[in-house]
Amino acid sequence: NYTYNKASLFTETNTASQYYLPDTIYNTSSTDNLTKTDESHSVNVTITYELDSFTQLTIQSKIKSDKNSQDDVGTNTFLTASDFITRVTNTTTTNDGSYFNSDNLLKVIRSFKNKDRKLVAYYTFKTSDNKSDGYLKWNDYNLLNSTLPDSSTNQHKTSSNTNQTQLGSITYTEPVSKKIKFEFAYDFN
């Protein structure tokens, strides 16, 4: 079983406002462009094999991979009542992420001539790996004083997370009578 998904989104927002204060009137104009993409792959496999008439082997694997990105670019412009630009702020944020997850199972079931006697063993191995990068760039220009930014921010954030889990179990069931059974189990993780 294989599944593939891809989604993209682009939005643009434009806003204009006018403010009346006791001593002045000013206008603002804002533009925001947002682009998002998400892509994922998913594979699910189950194989069941009869080794002999009493023994069954099952191998199962589930794998998922995701990638996503988001870019957001915004500009705020401040104008006088006569449409003279006094201040501009530019903001750009970028986020990229990836995710990988696998869940694997190996299971053996051994039956015996006595139908209530059974041996079940399984081993599970799970992994996950998450990574993300984020960027923020922000500039504030006061155009009454200079064309150079008055204030500027340039940040980068990286995160990474890796996880592995192993689980196992062996269970043996022995019937003592038609109504009584002993079960012995050993689990590890």
Side-chain angles (χ1 to χ4, degrees):
N1 182 4
Y2 172 74
T3 306
Y4 173 76
N5 286 321
K6 185 172 184 178
S8 298
L9 174 68
F10 176 77
T11 61
E12 182 174 328
T13 305
N14 294 304
T15 307
S17 301
Q18 189 169 38
Y19 297 91
Y20 296 95
L21 301 175
D23 59 343
T24 186
I25 297 173
Y26 73 94
N27 302 314
T28 62
S29 172
S30 299
T31 302
D32 189 51
N33 294 309
L34 176 67
T35 305
K36 285 177 145 182
T37 58
D38 293 306
E39 184 175 18
S40 69
H41 301 270
S42 182
V43 178
N44 297 316
V45 177
T46 301
I47 298 170
T48 302
Y49 184 70
E50 300 289 334
L51 298 174
D52 58 38
S53 61
F54 292 111
T55 310
Q56 182 185 63
L57 173 67
T58 302
I59 301 170
Q60 187 176 52
S61 187
K62 297 176 183 178
I63 299 170
K64 186 169 185 180
S65 173
D66 292 320
K67 288 186 179 182
N68 57 58
S69 67
Q70 179 175 318
D71 298 320
D72 191 0
V73 178
T75 301
N76 293 319
T77 306
F78 298 85
L79 304 103
T80 64
S82 58
D83 287 335
F84 178 73
I85 298 174
T86 59
R87 181 181 214 125
V88 176
T89 60
N90 296 317
T91 306
T92 302
T93 58
T94 303
N95 293 299
D96 295 313
S98 66
Y99 169 77
F100 178 81
N101 183 34
S102 71
D103 187 349
N104 304 291
L105 170 72
L106 178 64
K107 183 176 183 180
V108 177
I109 300 174
R110 171 75 172 154
S111 300
F112 298 91
K113 288 184 182 182
N114 183 337
K115 70 174 186 151
D116 292 330
R117 182 180 295 150
K118 187 181 278 191
L119 177 67
V120 178
Y122 78 86
Y123 172 71
T124 302
F125 181 70
K126 298 179 182 182
T127 62
S128 67
D129 188 23
N130 302 316
K131 295 178 181 173
S132 68
D133 281 324
Y135 298 92
L136 168 64
K137 292 183 180 182
W138 180 77
N139 291 312
D140 183 19
Y141 299 91
N142 183 348
L143 300 177
L144 296 175
N145 299 332
S146 166
T147 57
L148 298 175
D150 288 337
S151 181
S152 184
T153 301
N154 189 357
Q155 295 177 345
H156 177 222
K157 178 182 176 183
T158 301
S159 68
S160 179
N161 181 4
T162 301
N163 188 15
Q164 291 184 352
T165 305
Q166 298 183 55
L167 304 169
S169 175
I170 297 173
T171 305
Y172 176 71
T173 305
E174 178 65 42
V176 177
S177 67
K178 289 185 178 184
K179 295 184 179 183
I180 300 172
K181 296 178 189 176
F182 285 130
E183 184 172 287
F184 304 96
Y186 178 74
D187 298 328
F188 69 91
N189 56 9

